[in-house]
Amino acid sequence: MGIGKPVKQVLILIAGGVLLLVGIALLVLPGPGLLLVLAGLLVLASEFPVVEKYVDPIRDRAMKAAEDSVSSPLRIAGSVLAGLGLLAAGVVWGLVPGLPLGGWSTGSSLILSGLILFALLIWSYKRVQARRAAKTE
């Protein structure tokens, strides 16, 4: 027995809304804001077709930002340094309880942010390399 359509819509609305709100917050905070906004819109569009008109413009901007992040060795190095900084800050925040908001709850979120940054950096790099290889063929 499956869940009812109204329950499914509410769950999709909550999941998409959370992704969208976190993505919007990450537009001004460090993090993959546009990609999370895109993920939220894709989740919402799966159940609410009226949202689909916003997906393509955000997808174009998110993909452009992902490609720009690996467009030069200097940008890649900066991203790697930022990721390493997040990992180091996470360990410090986890081990030094006297810091503001000290503890592993803050530390683990910083570490997770660093790992997400590395995953997105690798994904962006592979995507750009595949696109370049397709253009040369």
Side-chain angles (χ1 to χ4, degrees):
M1 184 170 147
I3 61 174
K5 185 166 175 69
V7 173
K8 181 182 174 191
Q9 284 183 330
V10 168
L11 291 175
I12 287 175
L13 183 62
I14 290 170
V18 167
L19 285 169
L20 190 61
L21 290 174
V22 170
I24 290 170
L26 289 178
L27 290 174
V28 294
L29 299 170
L34 276 176
L35 290 174
L36 284 178
V37 168
L38 176 61
L41 289 175
L42 287 170
V43 169
L44 291 171
S46 71
E47 193 64 33
F48 305 101
V50 71
V51 178
E52 288 180 14
K53 66 182 176 183
Y54 301 106
V55 171
D56 284 337
I58 296 297
R59 179 181 290 144
D60 293 342
R61 284 185 163 178
M63 294 305 119
K64 175 81 170 104
E67 290 173 6
D68 287 348
S69 69
V70 293
S71 63
S72 73
L74 186 59
R75 285 187 179 214
I76 294 171
S79 296
V80 169
L81 287 175
L84 291 173
L86 284 169
L87 293 175
V91 170
V92 169
W93 249 267
L95 294 174
V96 181
L99 292 172
L101 302 173
W104 283 108
S105 59
T106 302
S108 62
S109 67
L110 288 168
I111 291 169
L112 181 62
S113 295
L115 294 174
I116 290 171
L117 187 146
F118 285 130
L120 290 172
L121 186 63
I122 291 166
W123 176 81
S124 298
Y125 184 78
K126 286 183 176 182
R127 178 178 166 80
V128 168
Q129 293 304 317
R131 203 176 242 187
R132 287 180 183 162
K135 283 183 181 179
T136 61
E137 292 178 359

